[in-house]
Amino acid sequence: MATKNNSSIFLIAIVVAVTSGAIVSLQGFVDGSLTDASGSPLVGTLVSYVGTIIALPLWALLTGKFPSLWRLLREESQWWWYCIGFLGVPLVLATSWGVVLAGVAVASVASVAGQTITGLILDSRGLGIPRPIPLTPLRILAAVISLAGLSLALIGSNGIAPWLLLGVGVAIFLGGSGLAGLQAGMGFVTGRSNNALAAGLASALGGTVLVLIITVVSWLSGSLDSITLPADPLLYLGGPLGAIVVTAAAWCVRPLGTFRLSLSVVCGQMAAAMVLDAISGMPLPWTTIAACVGVAIGLLIAVSKPQQKRKTHV
């Protein structure tokens, strides 16, 4: 019975993670529109973070979970719960900088490479999950196929200076590694607190503080003098969408591990991005479709479990 329940939770976690990936794509569209309207990716990031830390307590209040959430954070939380949120900020900053210089394809491949490779290492060490997941040839194959498929998106990304490509790639790779660490850290907090909402909120609070400090420093240096905050309320939905994503990640990482979680989110993210592009009338290159298929195949390999040989008695 316990094995059946574990299998059900595993499948639910896959569905939730893929769905959260689709929400990540929608959040990226909203945050990108806010960045264009405000003139600063840093301001767009801060608004999104603030929206997340508002949305999570509001959701807890509406569901009647706020008293237990507040008591848990006030009485049991540790300072490092909040510091885990710092790990997600480098990817946001590196991507905002790297996309402009090297393009979306390069940034996507570098980010996913950082997440998957680091995820394999963290899972093998048992960080953020109930027990270690061995680094098997099947898991390595899943990572290779996913990255090979995603690398097809690099076709057509010409005209980039090699030194610039390397610098952007390394920066975003490290940012992706930080995101994998964030997911594992939230899984660890979820295991300690038995509350994914608390893990997500603590992480979001820590990330907000760091982004706020960076924003204040940029403002004092005069880098944010020309920004404007748009009046369209739809451009501020990135925060609530982020609240869903961060809570889903905090819960899904326990049954899936960081590696499977990363692949699931990327798969959902790419599929939703293609749908959004199709709706907006943008062409879908074969490389984009092939990249999504490659990630999906990698995910299927990653979630498959090798059948155990039955013992025969003579």
Side-chain angles (χ1 to χ4, degrees):
M1 183 64 70
T3 303
K4 187 175 182 180
N5 289 339
N6 290 338
S7 298
S8 298
I9 292 174
F10 183 82
L11 292 175
I12 293 172
I14 290 290
V15 173
V16 171
V18 172
T19 303
S20 73
I23 296 174
V24 167
S25 186
L26 181 58
Q27 182 191 17
F29 177 79
V30 173
D31 288 346
S33 300
L34 177 60
T35 295
D36 291 339
S38 65
S40 171
L42 190 57
V43 172
T45 300
L46 177 61
V47 170
S48 182
Y49 264 99
V50 171
T52 298
I53 62 174
I54 292 175
L56 285 173
L58 181 60
W59 171 252
L61 190 64
L62 293 175
T63 56
K65 298 178 180 179
F66 185 79
S68 59
L69 175 65
W70 173 247
R71 183 171 57 253
L72 177 63
L73 292 178
R74 189 181 72 248
E75 298 177 359
E76 299 183 28
S77 67
Q78 305 294 320
W79 61 271
W80 53 267
W81 289 20
Y82 304 92
C83 293
I84 289 172
F86 295 173
L87 296 174
V89 176
L91 180 60
V92 175
L93 298 178
T95 302
S96 299
W97 164 72
V99 166
V100 176
L101 295 175
V104 175
V106 173
S108 299
V109 173
S111 171
V112 175
Q115 293 176 57
T116 54
I117 293 174
T118 305
L120 286 171
I121 296 172
L122 293 176
D123 286 350
S124 67
R125 305 295 296 177
L127 297 177
I129 53 179
R131 62 190 62 84
I133 303 176
L135 186 59
T136 62
L138 196 64
R139 287 170 67 80
I140 296 175
L141 176 63
V144 170
I145 291 178
S146 299
L147 292 176
L150 194 61
S151 296
L152 290 173
L154 295 177
I155 297 177
S157 300
N158 299 320
I160 304 172
W163 64 268
L164 180 60
L165 185 63
L166 178 61
V168 170
V170 170
I172 298 180
F173 177 90
L174 294 176
S177 297
L179 180 60
L182 169 66
Q183 293 169 341
M186 287 195 299
F188 189 82
V189 173
T190 300
R192 281 287 188 90
S193 64
N194 198 30
N195 192 317
L197 193 60
L201 181 55
S203 168
L205 284 168
T208 302
V209 170
L210 182 55
V211 173
L212 180 60
I213 292 172
I214 297 172
T215 303
V216 170
V217 172
S218 299
W219 175 68
L220 292 175
S221 66
S223 303
L224 303 179
D225 290 343
S226 60
I227 66 165
T228 57
L229 291 179
D232 187 353
L234 294 179
L235 297 181
Y236 297 92
L237 291 179
L241 293 174
I244 299 173
V245 171
V246 73
T247 306
W251 181 77
C252 290
V253 71
R254 297 287 294 174
L256 296 182
T258 305
F259 175 63
R260 291 191 187 114
L261 173 60
S262 297
L263 285 186
S264 300
V265 171
V266 171
C267 187
Q269 186 177 356
M270 292 190 67
M274 289 196 301
V275 172
L276 289 173
D277 286 347
I279 292 175
S280 61
M282 295 182 64
L284 288 176
W286 71 267
T287 52
T288 302
I289 298 174
C292 187
V293 171
V295 174
I297 293 174
L299 175 60
L300 290 175
I301 295 175
V303 301
S304 64
K305 297 180 179 179
Q307 294 182 350
Q308 295 180 346
K309 295 181 179 180
R310 295 181 179 179
K311 294 181 179 180
T312 57
H313 300 280
V314 181

